[in-house]
Amino acid sequence: MFDALSDRLDRIASKLKSRGRLSEADLEEALKEIRTALLEADVELGVVRSFLDGVRARLGGVELSKAITPGQQVIKAVHEELIRILGGESLKITYASRPPTVILLAGLQGAGKTTTAAKLARWFKAQGRNPLLVAADLQRPAAVEQLRVLGDQAGVSVFSEPTDPVKVAAAGLEEARRLGRDVMIVDTAGRLAIDSALMDEVRNVSGAVRPDYTFLVIDAMTGQDAVATASAFHEALALDGVILTKLDGDARGGAALSVKEVVGRPIAFASVGEKLDDLELFHPDRMADRILGMGDMLSLIEQAEKTMDAEVVAKSASKMLSGGFDLEDFVAQLGQIRKMGSLGGLMRMMPGMSKEMRQAADSVDDREIDRIEGIVNSMTPAERRDPSLIDGNRRRRIAAGAGRSIQDINQLLNQFRQMQKMMKQMGGGGMPGMSGKGPKGRLGMARQMMKGGADLDELKAAMGGPNPGAGLPAELTAFKSQGAAPAPRGGSKNKKKKGGRVTPPKGR
Amino acid sequence: MLAIILIGIVLLALVGTVVGVRRKGLRRPDSPPPTVSPPLSEVETPPSVAGETSAQPRTAPAPELDGTALVEEAPPNYKERLGRSRGLFASLRSRVGSGRVDAAALEDLEAALLGADVGVSTTDHVLEIIRTKAAAGELDDASDLLGALRTELLAILAEGPDGPIDRRLDYAASPGRVPVWLFVGVNGVGKTTTIGKLSARESGEGRTVLLAAGDTFRAAAADQLAMWAERTGAEVVRGAEGGDPSSVVFDAIQRAGARGADLVLADTAGRLHTKVNLVEELKKVRRVADREPGEVIEVLLVLDGTTGQNAVAQAREFSEAVGATGVVLTKLDGTARGGVVVAIQRELGLPVKLVGLGEGAGDLVDFDPESFVDALLEP
């Protein structure tokens, strides 16, 4: 597994001398770590080089901040530079004066064009438009059928005919006009950029319908080849934008940076799942975090939404924060952890988790959870509701019932009490919010937790945790000291952001 | 240990406060009860299709129903097909004849390996070995560098954790059992197309092949496989869309047993390895396929040749979940070099067994390490 950039820089941060300015030597060392991180994230080598030049220019001779360590300063600069490149000019869909507005999708085999076409149709429909899907992939067996089924699911009709892609597209355009549709989305077959015959074909398809928007659909897990592919498609078709797919995986997605650099057109949409409504506007800041391996809080939320029983968790959560969290709730939560899959995976997505913690989390297995459940199940309901009842005799009984030692029982009860205390403290600090600008906003939640951060450290030390005294990575305590948490706005994922968004159309 | 669990619970609580009470039905629909599907030997054309054209011939000739005709064509030439137009090794190769091996040459070497998706870790490993040789005066020229690189890459590809790598595909199940090859991988890598090609190849070599349409999620996936079945003269067993993939695979195996088929090729839905519930579903498919009379003798992980380092994660997770026995590396006819499989073999000991070189029925070859490395090192 790739180390998060933050871990890497932690390691050299102590070596970076924090006096005056960032020396050239220090900067180069930091940039080397970043280079590795970006390459592991599949950013193309040439793009990495020019990117690092940009960071170097930003940081060269810059005064070192007193509030954060040099390592953190470097990360900040890198993060900002990434957002700048990934964001920039946003794509506004302006609708053609003579309908339909034509959208053409192109890309390699397997990128997700057909699914994206249907998702786009759904998206436009939700914008109040009346789209037509045109199935111009006549190469892949059952591709037309696939689009028909998806179109059906989206409530959008699909046009095709068994001729050839160019004729289908042209006929589709006529059909769209005849039916009075205001948007037409053309799916094409996957093709290699080096296949000159097929590149000619897609050029001809484009010529036949004169698209208002041509999007390259590219898989987020694409490697170093992304640049070659994107340039070739851009040269052939003059792309208006890029759609990145399969972002619901754990690919770091460096291809996004490569493609953006090389094509220079906005990344318009991000596909984040297999369902038809899993298409969203592209968020440059989320992508920047992801590329740097800094964890993606929002993906964590989304994954949690998908797997957890939200009601169970929400109920327990409010109880936790009000201090009413008991062992019953605890066991219910354990069940949720099981459902979410590996605890390591959960930890990995939280920013600011040190490598030691993540490794420890990775090694937790279901049997641990079984053991804890066994202990709690040996308690009476009254004991679970109020663990303070549990005296020596009860402990002996519980230990016997669960087949564990009294020490195990003691340990569980002590730590549970600590946890309750900590939760109550956090609850006292107000509901954690999600919004706010940039990484700080997203980390606002983590920061909220870190406000009781001293307690987290104490807790770990008290538990004789995996690394007593390891504490939290420097970054997070630094973020803490940078200022108060942004005012939390409960549960809102809407962020007013500049750049890198497709602005929903104003009515025409 | 307990500490981590408690911290995890706290994190979950925090997450939970945001998730809220709202329920988003984001799981896959619960599978309807499995329907026993009558086996089909011809394509079932759904009524709503407005007529699809027979595929325009691309690089492969128009497919014929008789499987044997397909594989009489000369198998694609590896070298001809492998995309090389990115000039990865051009810079290093231009130094050949200079009689010098310097830092600049090594930098070129590093850049080329990275560009081939070999990845930082394996590139560093290989570079270190070559640097040592250079320091020992064993390398006089860039041509020696390339030679050493070739040797090293082949060495990595030759060795597994338990000795020399065996890339042979297994055809023989235990007596009385039906041999099953299970195809797994993330979305869009080419599982179904690979099965189609294998169906052509194996039928051409005289084996009776039965295809199991185990992708019950993707729209028209079973149709796609059925078309390949028709093209290659194989039988296909399919179920209801949205149905339970395990039961389709089970039915297929039963049918294969009854008919005395030589091989079952079982397709599954593409799934990201990070989706726990989908990986669990896949584990179940494997368990069911391994029940008598079936026996899973190959679990082939299909990897897209254009994928970057995420392929290592895919290989790791799928291996852990269902025990992959080999890799099919697809789409190597493009500009990507697929160097990530070197890292995969080095780190996981998982060998590539087959390579896909196009969308045509004949575009499948056995993995040959020398051809692969030579193509990787092309300018």
mmCIF file with all atom_site columns, all heavy atoms in Angstrom, chain A residues 30 51 97 106 111 157 213-214 227 384 418 430 435 474:
data_model
loop_
_atom_site.group_PDB
_atom_site.id
_atom_site.type_symbol
_atom_site.label_atom_id
_atom_site.label_alt_id
_atom_site.label_comp_id
_atom_site.label_asym_id
_atom_site.label_entity_id
_atom_site.label_seq_id
_atom_site.pdbx_PDB_ins_code
_atom_site.Cartn_x
_atom_site.Cartn_y
_atom_site.Cartn_z
_atom_site.occupancy
_atom_site.B_iso_or_equiv
_atom_site.pdbx_formal_charge
_atom_site.auth_seq_id
_atom_site.auth_comp_id
_atom_site.auth_asym_id
_atom_site.auth_atom_id
_atom_site.pdbx_PDB_model_num
ATOM 1  N N   . ALA A 1 30  ? 12.346  17.398 -0.143  1.00 0.00 ? 30  ALA A N   1
ATOM 2  C CA  . ALA A 1 30  ? 10.890  17.308 -0.054  1.00 0.00 ? 30  ALA A CA  1
ATOM 3  C C   . ALA A 1 30  ? 10.282  17.002 -1.420  1.00 0.00 ? 30  ALA A C   1
ATOM 4  O O   . ALA A 1 30  ? 9.387   16.163 -1.557  1.00 0.00 ? 30  ALA A O   1
ATOM 5  C CB  . ALA A 1 30  ? 10.311  18.604 0.503   1.00 0.00 ? 30  ALA A CB  1
ATOM 6  N N   . PHE A 1 51  ? 5.201   19.792 -13.048 1.00 0.00 ? 51  PHE A N   1
ATOM 7  C CA  . PHE A 1 51  ? 4.464   20.146 -11.843 1.00 0.00 ? 51  PHE A CA  1
ATOM 8  C C   . PHE A 1 51  ? 5.426   20.547 -10.733 1.00 0.00 ? 51  PHE A C   1
ATOM 9  O O   . PHE A 1 51  ? 5.232   21.557 -10.045 1.00 0.00 ? 51  PHE A O   1
ATOM 10 C CB  . PHE A 1 51  ? 3.596   18.977 -11.397 1.00 0.00 ? 51  PHE A CB  1
ATOM 11 C CG  . PHE A 1 51  ? 2.867   19.220 -10.110 1.00 0.00 ? 51  PHE A CG  1
ATOM 12 C CD1 . PHE A 1 51  ? 1.694   19.954 -10.101 1.00 0.00 ? 51  PHE A CD1 1
ATOM 13 C CD2 . PHE A 1 51  ? 3.366   18.759 -8.909  1.00 0.00 ? 51  PHE A CD2 1
ATOM 14 C CE1 . PHE A 1 51  ? 1.027   20.207 -8.917  1.00 0.00 ? 51  PHE A CE1 1
ATOM 15 C CE2 . PHE A 1 51  ? 2.706   19.008 -7.721  1.00 0.00 ? 51  PHE A CE2 1
ATOM 16 C CZ  . PHE A 1 51  ? 1.535   19.740 -7.723  1.00 0.00 ? 51  PHE A CZ  1
ATOM 17 N N   . SER A 1 97  ? -28.148 27.319 -29.814 1.00 0.00 ? 97  SER A N   1
ATOM 18 C CA  . SER A 1 97  ? -29.305 28.154 -30.175 1.00 0.00 ? 97  SER A CA  1
ATOM 19 C C   . SER A 1 97  ? -30.262 27.368 -31.041 1.00 0.00 ? 97  SER A C   1
ATOM 20 O O   . SER A 1 97  ? -31.475 27.557 -30.996 1.00 0.00 ? 97  SER A O   1
ATOM 21 C CB  . SER A 1 97  ? -28.838 29.427 -30.879 1.00 0.00 ? 97  SER A CB  1
ATOM 22 O OG  . SER A 1 97  ? -27.907 29.105 -31.889 1.00 0.00 ? 97  SER A OG  1
ATOM 23 N N   . ALA A 1 106 ? -16.122 9.934  -26.468 1.00 0.00 ? 106 ALA A N   1
ATOM 24 C CA  . ALA A 1 106 ? -15.097 9.105  -27.111 1.00 0.00 ? 106 ALA A CA  1
ATOM 25 C C   . ALA A 1 106 ? -14.103 8.618  -26.064 1.00 0.00 ? 106 ALA A C   1
ATOM 26 O O   . ALA A 1 106 ? -14.015 9.179  -24.962 1.00 0.00 ? 106 ALA A O   1
ATOM 27 C CB  . ALA A 1 106 ? -14.364 9.913  -28.181 1.00 0.00 ? 106 ALA A CB  1
ATOM 28 N N   . ALA A 1 111 ? -13.648 2.193  -20.958 1.00 0.00 ? 111 ALA A N   1
ATOM 29 C CA  . ALA A 1 111 ? -13.537 3.366  -20.087 1.00 0.00 ? 111 ALA A CA  1
ATOM 30 C C   . ALA A 1 111 ? -14.842 3.665  -19.351 1.00 0.00 ? 111 ALA A C   1
ATOM 31 O O   . ALA A 1 111 ? -14.829 4.255  -18.275 1.00 0.00 ? 111 ALA A O   1
ATOM 32 C CB  . ALA A 1 111 ? -13.121 4.584  -20.913 1.00 0.00 ? 111 ALA A CB  1
ATOM 33 N N   . SER A 1 157 ? -35.181 7.848  -24.405 1.00 0.00 ? 157 SER A N   1
ATOM 34 C CA  . SER A 1 157 ? -35.213 6.949  -25.554 1.00 0.00 ? 157 SER A CA  1
ATOM 35 C C   . SER A 1 157 ? -33.864 6.885  -26.249 1.00 0.00 ? 157 SER A C   1
ATOM 36 O O   . SER A 1 157 ? -33.037 7.791  -26.163 1.00 0.00 ? 157 SER A O   1
ATOM 37 C CB  . SER A 1 157 ? -36.311 7.358  -26.540 1.00 0.00 ? 157 SER A CB  1
ATOM 38 O OG  . SER A 1 157 ? -36.323 8.745  -26.717 1.00 0.00 ? 157 SER A OG  1
ATOM 39 N N   . TYR A 1 213 ? -20.288 19.654 -27.607 1.00 0.00 ? 213 TYR A N   1
ATOM 40 C CA  . TYR A 1 213 ? -19.343 19.224 -26.588 1.00 0.00 ? 213 TYR A CA  1
ATOM 41 C C   . TYR A 1 213 ? -18.825 17.838 -26.912 1.00 0.00 ? 213 TYR A C   1
ATOM 42 O O   . TYR A 1 213 ? -19.612 16.914 -27.113 1.00 0.00 ? 213 TYR A O   1
ATOM 43 C CB  . TYR A 1 213 ? -20.006 19.210 -25.200 1.00 0.00 ? 213 TYR A CB  1
ATOM 44 C CG  . TYR A 1 213 ? -20.361 20.588 -24.715 1.00 0.00 ? 213 TYR A CG  1
ATOM 45 C CD1 . TYR A 1 213 ? -21.631 21.113 -24.897 1.00 0.00 ? 213 TYR A CD1 1
ATOM 46 C CD2 . TYR A 1 213 ? -19.386 21.382 -24.114 1.00 0.00 ? 213 TYR A CD2 1
ATOM 47 C CE1 . TYR A 1 213 ? -21.938 22.399 -24.484 1.00 0.00 ? 213 TYR A CE1 1
ATOM 48 C CE2 . TYR A 1 213 ? -19.684 22.659 -23.691 1.00 0.00 ? 213 TYR A CE2 1
ATOM 49 C CZ  . TYR A 1 213 ? -20.954 23.171 -23.880 1.00 0.00 ? 213 TYR A CZ  1
ATOM 50 O OH  . TYR A 1 213 ? -21.250 24.441 -23.469 1.00 0.00 ? 213 TYR A OH  1
ATOM 51 N N   . THR A 1 214 ? -17.512 17.712 -26.961 1.00 0.00 ? 214 THR A N   1
ATOM 52 C CA  . THR A 1 214 ? -16.893 16.397 -27.134 1.00 0.00 ? 214 THR A CA  1
ATOM 53 C C   . THR A 1 214 ? -16.131 16.090 -25.858 1.00 0.00 ? 214 THR A C   1
ATOM 54 O O   . THR A 1 214 ? -15.250 16.859 -25.446 1.00 0.00 ? 214 THR A O   1
ATOM 55 C CB  . THR A 1 214 ? -15.911 16.403 -28.314 1.00 0.00 ? 214 THR A CB  1
ATOM 56 O OG1 . THR A 1 214 ? -16.599 16.816 -29.486 1.00 0.00 ? 214 THR A OG1 1
ATOM 57 C CG2 . THR A 1 214 ? -15.349 15.007 -28.545 1.00 0.00 ? 214 THR A CG2 1
ATOM 58 N N   . VAL A 1 227 ? -1.421  10.250 -20.993 1.00 0.00 ? 227 VAL A N   1
ATOM 59 C CA  . VAL A 1 227 ? -1.028  11.416 -21.789 1.00 0.00 ? 227 VAL A CA  1
ATOM 60 C C   . VAL A 1 227 ? -1.088  11.119 -23.272 1.00 0.00 ? 227 VAL A C   1
ATOM 61 O O   . VAL A 1 227 ? -1.642  11.890 -24.058 1.00 0.00 ? 227 VAL A O   1
ATOM 62 C CB  . VAL A 1 227 ? 0.398   11.862 -21.385 1.00 0.00 ? 227 VAL A CB  1
ATOM 63 C CG1 . VAL A 1 227 ? 0.979   12.797 -22.434 1.00 0.00 ? 227 VAL A CG1 1
ATOM 64 C CG2 . VAL A 1 227 ? 0.352   12.570 -20.042 1.00 0.00 ? 227 VAL A CG2 1
ATOM 65 N N   . ARG A 1 384 ? -25.255 -3.696 30.850  1.00 0.00 ? 384 ARG A N   1
ATOM 66 C CA  . ARG A 1 384 ? -24.876 -3.019 29.608  1.00 0.00 ? 384 ARG A CA  1
ATOM 67 C C   . ARG A 1 384 ? -25.297 -1.566 29.619  1.00 0.00 ? 384 ARG A C   1
ATOM 68 O O   . ARG A 1 384 ? -24.604 -0.694 29.125  1.00 0.00 ? 384 ARG A O   1
ATOM 69 C CB  . ARG A 1 384 ? -25.508 -3.717 28.400  1.00 0.00 ? 384 ARG A CB  1
ATOM 70 C CG  . ARG A 1 384 ? -24.873 -5.051 28.090  1.00 0.00 ? 384 ARG A CG  1
ATOM 71 C CD  . ARG A 1 384 ? -25.541 -5.710 26.918  1.00 0.00 ? 384 ARG A CD  1
ATOM 72 N NE  . ARG A 1 384 ? -25.649 -7.152 27.161  1.00 0.00 ? 384 ARG A NE  1
ATOM 73 C CZ  . ARG A 1 384 ? -26.538 -7.926 26.611  1.00 0.00 ? 384 ARG A CZ  1
ATOM 74 N NH1 . ARG A 1 384 ? -27.434 -7.424 25.786  1.00 0.00 ? 384 ARG A NH1 1
ATOM 75 N NH2 . ARG A 1 384 ? -26.552 -9.209 26.871  1.00 0.00 ? 384 ARG A NH2 1
ATOM 76 N N   . GLN A 1 418 ? -13.274 5.601  29.292  1.00 0.00 ? 418 GLN A N   1
ATOM 77 C CA  . GLN A 1 418 ? -12.482 6.672  28.686  1.00 0.00 ? 418 GLN A CA  1
ATOM 78 C C   . GLN A 1 418 ? -13.156 7.205  27.436  1.00 0.00 ? 418 GLN A C   1
ATOM 79 O O   . GLN A 1 418 ? -13.235 8.403  27.179  1.00 0.00 ? 418 GLN A O   1
ATOM 80 C CB  . GLN A 1 418 ? -11.103 6.137  28.266  1.00 0.00 ? 418 GLN A CB  1
ATOM 81 C CG  . GLN A 1 418 ? -10.245 5.660  29.404  1.00 0.00 ? 418 GLN A CG  1
ATOM 82 C CD  . GLN A 1 418 ? -9.304  6.742  29.859  1.00 0.00 ? 418 GLN A CD  1
ATOM 83 O OE1 . GLN A 1 418 ? -9.538  7.921  29.592  1.00 0.00 ? 418 GLN A OE1 1
ATOM 84 N NE2 . GLN A 1 418 ? -8.247  6.362  30.540  1.00 0.00 ? 418 GLN A NE2 1
ATOM 85 N N   . GLY A 1 430 ? -20.003 20.830 20.194  1.00 0.00 ? 430 GLY A N   1
ATOM 86 C CA  . GLY A 1 430 ? -20.918 21.128 19.080  1.00 0.00 ? 430 GLY A CA  1
ATOM 87 C C   . GLY A 1 430 ? -20.875 20.047 18.020  1.00 0.00 ? 430 GLY A C   1
ATOM 88 O O   . GLY A 1 430 ? -19.964 19.225 17.988  1.00 0.00 ? 430 GLY A O   1
ATOM 89 N N   . SER A 1 435 ? -18.851 21.333 6.064   1.00 0.00 ? 435 SER A N   1
ATOM 90 C CA  . SER A 1 435 ? -18.528 22.271 4.981   1.00 0.00 ? 435 SER A CA  1
ATOM 91 C C   . SER A 1 435 ? -17.387 23.181 5.351   1.00 0.00 ? 435 SER A C   1
ATOM 92 O O   . SER A 1 435 ? -16.802 23.072 6.414   1.00 0.00 ? 435 SER A O   1
ATOM 93 C CB  . SER A 1 435 ? -19.760 23.088 4.645   1.00 0.00 ? 435 SER A CB  1
ATOM 94 O OG  . SER A 1 435 ? -20.349 23.533 5.843   1.00 0.00 ? 435 SER A OG  1
ATOM 95 N N   . ALA A 1 474 ? 2.185   15.606 12.807  1.00 0.00 ? 474 ALA A N   1
ATOM 96 C CA  . ALA A 1 474 ? 2.372   17.035 13.070  1.00 0.00 ? 474 ALA A CA  1
ATOM 97 C C   . ALA A 1 474 ? 1.334   17.901 12.379  1.00 0.00 ? 474 ALA A C   1
ATOM 98 O O   . ALA A 1 474 ? 0.845   18.868 12.925  1.00 0.00 ? 474 ALA A O   1
ATOM 99 C CB  . ALA A 1 474 ? 3.778   17.436 12.660  1.00 0.00 ? 474 ALA A CB  1
#
